[in-house]
Amino acid sequence: MLAACVALLVVCGVSAVKVRAQDASRDPSRDPSGDPGRDQTTVPAETPPTFAYTTPADKDYLRAMLELSGVVGFGFLQYITEQDIVRNYDVNYSWKMFRGKLLFEQLKLDTNHLGTNFIGHPIGGTSYYMAARGNRLSIAESFGFTVAGSTLWEYFGEVREIVSINDMIVTSLAGPAIGEPMTQLGAFFDRSSPALRNRILGVFFAPVKSINDLLDGRTLARSQHLDYYGFPADEWHQFDLSTGVGNTWEQHPTRGVGSSVTQEWRYSIASHLARLPDYIGAGHHSLVFSDGNVSSFEVSGAVTEQRVVDLHVETQLVLVGHYFRDAHRDSYGKLWGYGTQIGVTTGYELTFHDYDREGFRPIDQIAGVEPLGLLFEHRGAFGAGRIFTRLSATSDFAGVRPYALRMYRQRADKVVLPYVLDQHLYYYGVGGRLMGHFGVSAGLFEVEAKLRFEGYSALEEPVALADQRASVEGRVSCEIPYTAARVAGFIERRSRWGYMGPSQAARNELSLGVEIGARY
């Protein structure tokens, strides 16, 4: 899936570079630096709807229920054909035990693998959510369908297992956290020009919606105000693609800082959508939004000649927020003013990172959902330059591989660990994240800084168990005139700590490198 996503966005990016270069060569007075042309076009001030058709389209609750049942039914058929169904589960499917489920007596955290609980179940929740959202139901209604699908699965799908608390949480929350950003991407390309790439991407990111539109004979309402790339100019978007090379210096646990260095190839794909009027342009607005207007989806990672050493997948959706904009243009056409956004968010995160590339510890893994978070964003314009500040704080429920586990197991006074920690090498953790993103741009140049800290504590504690990690990144980039291409240099510092009983473990690393990419 990730490979297909990469291929599709690369095709889109190459096409965008060509279109933009041709357009700029025809009209050199249009400066493509910064935010190319998007705030130079006169566009309507109203916010376009997520689902835009030439004729009104109603919600289809019946089909949503049928499609949800189909997803649950397909999962059940797959479940009963698995060879390990004959395992000795905690409960048998009898009235006595089913009654225990109804009375919440058979309810606890399960002992499945991290991949099953924090990758497989989020995929299931996304399927439930998109079955409803693809029938034009609201975000709240689609979330209700996701909860219903998760409940049906726990009570009637996994017939021989207890009701899993963690599955109910992760499946339900991952639905809107992943499904809505994908729906917004698909709907964005559906509102774009009818170019082949937009049709393909619209189907790819919102397949259920696309199939239902075809069955209903719906005609998509394409935006009448398009930018250089054929994308809607009445809503802000930023798509970034990049690849590069860098060196990473690691602190070895016995030989100190700089004792290990590896070369790695990096890649990143990120989308940011804000379906809000004059998001970076001139206008005055104050409004509340709650239709998935702001969302992001990011995939990044790094590989060496031997293996994958980093993978990061993250989504974020603003469930409800307030948007304010007050900006104008002076007599020279320069933009002055600012805009703010405050919102309640949800999201999903999946990370793999190798802090110990000499094999001292297994690759670090953290994956989980963000039940609720808070977001503050400020965008300012001062003539030739712009500033950007984004701060967020989130709560998290995650599966965490303890960084100090190996050190703890070497002790003689260790205690018996829970099954999931002892056999699957992770624990259920609760915690949170603090993130900051700051940027200043002028002309073709942009300087950015990213800060991130997150910490987790175990829900089940045979011993004191906690993990933290932090990163600081700086980046300087330059846009190549009259193209979407950009070159950048970056420096990044990562830190990882873990505490397990009296055992502790820590690792720091420093990365330096260069990247080339495109923004459109």
Side-chain angles (χ1 to χ4, degrees):
M1 178 177 177
L2 292 180
C5 183
V6 171
L8 288 170
L9 288 181
V10 167
V11 170
C12 187
V14 171
S15 301
V17 172
K18 292 180 179 178
V19 170
R20 186 174 174 186
Q22 293 170 359
D23 189 274
S25 64
R26 289 194 298 268
D27 187 1
S29 64
R30 299 181 73 174
D31 180 11
S33 62
D35 298 286
R38 297 176 205 152
D39 63 338
Q40 300 176 16
T41 306
T42 302
V43 297
E46 62 271 11
T47 301
T50 297
F51 305 118
Y53 304 99
T54 55
T55 57
D58 295 328
K59 302 174 182 180
D60 197 327
Y61 291 98
L62 176 59
R63 188 170 59 194
M65 289 187 287
L66 293 175
E67 291 177 349
L68 175 65
S69 300
V71 174
V72 175
F74 177 80
F76 179 72
L77 290 176
Q78 183 183 33
Y79 176 79
I80 62 175
T81 57
E82 292 180 351
Q83 293 183 358
D84 61 354
I85 193 67
V86 296
R87 291 179 302 172
N88 183 23
Y89 288 106
D90 299 78
V91 300
N92 295 312
Y93 200 65
S94 63
W95 166 245
K96 179 180 179 181
M97 293 304 166
F98 183 67
R99 179 176 178 275
K101 288 185 176 184
L102 294 177
L103 297 176
F104 305 107
E105 296 172 353
Q106 301 297 333
L107 184 69
K108 68 176 184 179
L109 299 170
D110 70 28
T111 58
N112 291 330
H113 293 272
L114 186 146
T116 300
N117 284 333
F118 291 95
I119 300 178
H121 280 282
I123 293 175
T126 301
S127 301
Y128 301 155
Y129 182 87
M130 296 185 77
R133 192 68 163 135
N135 283 284
R136 300 176 288 277
L137 274 63
S138 68
I139 292 177
E141 292 169 331
S142 300
F143 174 67
F145 268 68
T146 307
V147 175
S150 179
T151 303
L152 285 172
W153 177 255
E154 291 298 321
Y155 279 83
F156 301 100
E158 294 180 322
V159 295
R160 300 189 181 185
E161 299 189 47
I162 62 169
V163 176
S164 170
I165 298 174
N166 50 281
D167 288 350
M168 291 287 291
I169 294 173
V170 173
T171 303
S172 300
L173 294 179
I178 303 174
E180 188 60 28
M182 290 185 64
T183 298
Q184 291 297 326
L185 274 170
F188 174 85
F189 291 115
D190 284 347
R191 294 190 299 271
S192 302
S193 70
L196 178 61
R197 68 156 187 253
N198 292 333
R199 293 180 178 181
I200 293 174
L201 291 171
V203 173
F204 181 82
F205 287 108
V208 179
K209 172 186 179 297
S210 299
I211 293 173
N212 290 340
D213 288 345
L214 180 64
L215 293 175
D216 293 340
R218 296 290 175 188
T219 301
L220 299 172
R222 306 284 181 173
S223 175
Q224 300 300 308
H225 306 274
L226 302 175
D227 64 8
Y228 288 146
Y229 316 121
F231 295 150
D234 52 352
E235 50 188 292
W236 181 80
H237 64 274
Q238 181 174 296
F239 302 133
D240 288 303
L241 301 91
S242 67
T243 183
V245 62
N247 285 343
T248 294
W249 289 264
E250 293 187 311
Q251 175 187 352
H252 191 275
T254 58
R255 296 198 296 271
V257 178
S259 60
S260 175
V261 59
T262 57
Q263 187 178 73
E264 59 191 31
W265 290 94
R266 293 192 168 202
Y267 64 89
S268 177
I269 302 173
S271 74
H272 302 276
L273 301 178
R275 192 162 31 89
L276 297 168
D278 300 316
Y279 191 67
I280 58 170
H284 183 83
H285 307 279
S286 180
L287 57 91
V288 175
F289 59 92
S290 59
D291 188 34
N293 305 66
V294 179
S295 63
S296 63
F297 201 118
E298 179 179 355
V299 179
S300 61
V303 298
T304 65
E305 293 181 353
Q306 293 79 25
R307 62 190 184 279
V308 175
V309 294
D310 181 78
L311 173 64
H312 183 91
V313 180
E314 185 170 0
T315 70
Q316 188 174 65
L317 167 70
V318 180
L319 294 168
V320 60
H322 180 267
Y323 166 68
F324 177 82
R325 183 72 176 171
D326 186 10
H328 68 280
R329 293 191 179 277
D330 61 20
S331 58
Y332 297 98
K334 300 296 184 180
L335 186 67
W336 298 84
Y338 70 98
T340 61
Q341 177 194 152
I342 300 175
V344 177
T345 65
T346 187
Y348 170 78
E349 180 186 35
L350 169 66
T351 59
F352 298 86
H353 188 79
D354 194 348
Y355 290 95
D356 302 84
R357 301 182 187 183
E358 295 181 352
F360 185 73
R361 293 183 183 87
I363 193 166
D364 188 57
Q365 301 180 27
I366 299 178
V369 290
E370 168 196 323
L372 287 176
L374 295 175
L375 169 72
F376 170 79
E377 181 180 283
H378 177 274
R379 291 179 178 270
F382 47 96
R386 300 192 179 190
I387 59 174
F388 164 77
T389 300
R390 185 183 180 95
L391 303 172
S392 63
T394 73
S395 58
D396 290 275
F397 176 75
V400 182
R401 172 166 286 179
Y403 198 62
L405 179 60
R406 175 168 178 172
M407 304 297 292
Y408 179 78
R409 282 182 161 174
Q410 293 175 349
R411 299 183 63 89
D413 57 346
K414 58 182 179 292
V415 301
V416 177
L417 300 176
Y419 179 87
V420 68
L421 180 57
D422 185 58
Q423 297 297 315
H424 299 323
L425 309 182
Y426 79 97
Y427 65 85
Y428 294 105
V430 292
R433 283 174 284 164
L434 298 174
M435 295 173 286
H437 186 184
F438 313 93
V440 178
S441 62
L444 301 176
F445 294 92
E446 183 177 47
V447 179
E448 296 177 272
K450 295 182 180 180
L451 311 174
R452 184 186 186 99
F453 173 82
E454 54 191 298
Y456 304 90
S457 298
L459 282 176
E460 299 175 306
E461 295 190 5
V463 294
L465 186 56
D467 285 88
Q468 298 88 37
R469 61 182 179 182
S471 65
V472 180
E473 179 183 359
R475 181 180 301 270
V476 178
S477 59
C478 176
E479 185 173 300
I480 299 175
Y482 303 116
T483 73
R486 303 166 68 88
V487 293
F490 66 86
I491 179 172
E492 184 176 14
R493 171 80 169 183
R494 295 175 182 258
S495 298
R496 182 71 166 89
W497 309 274
Y499 308 89
M500 191 168 182
S503 301
Q504 300 182 23
R507 176 61 67 95
N508 298 312
E509 63 179 35
L510 179 69
S511 298
L512 295 171
V514 294
E515 293 179 344
I516 185 169
R519 172 174 293 176
Y520 54 99

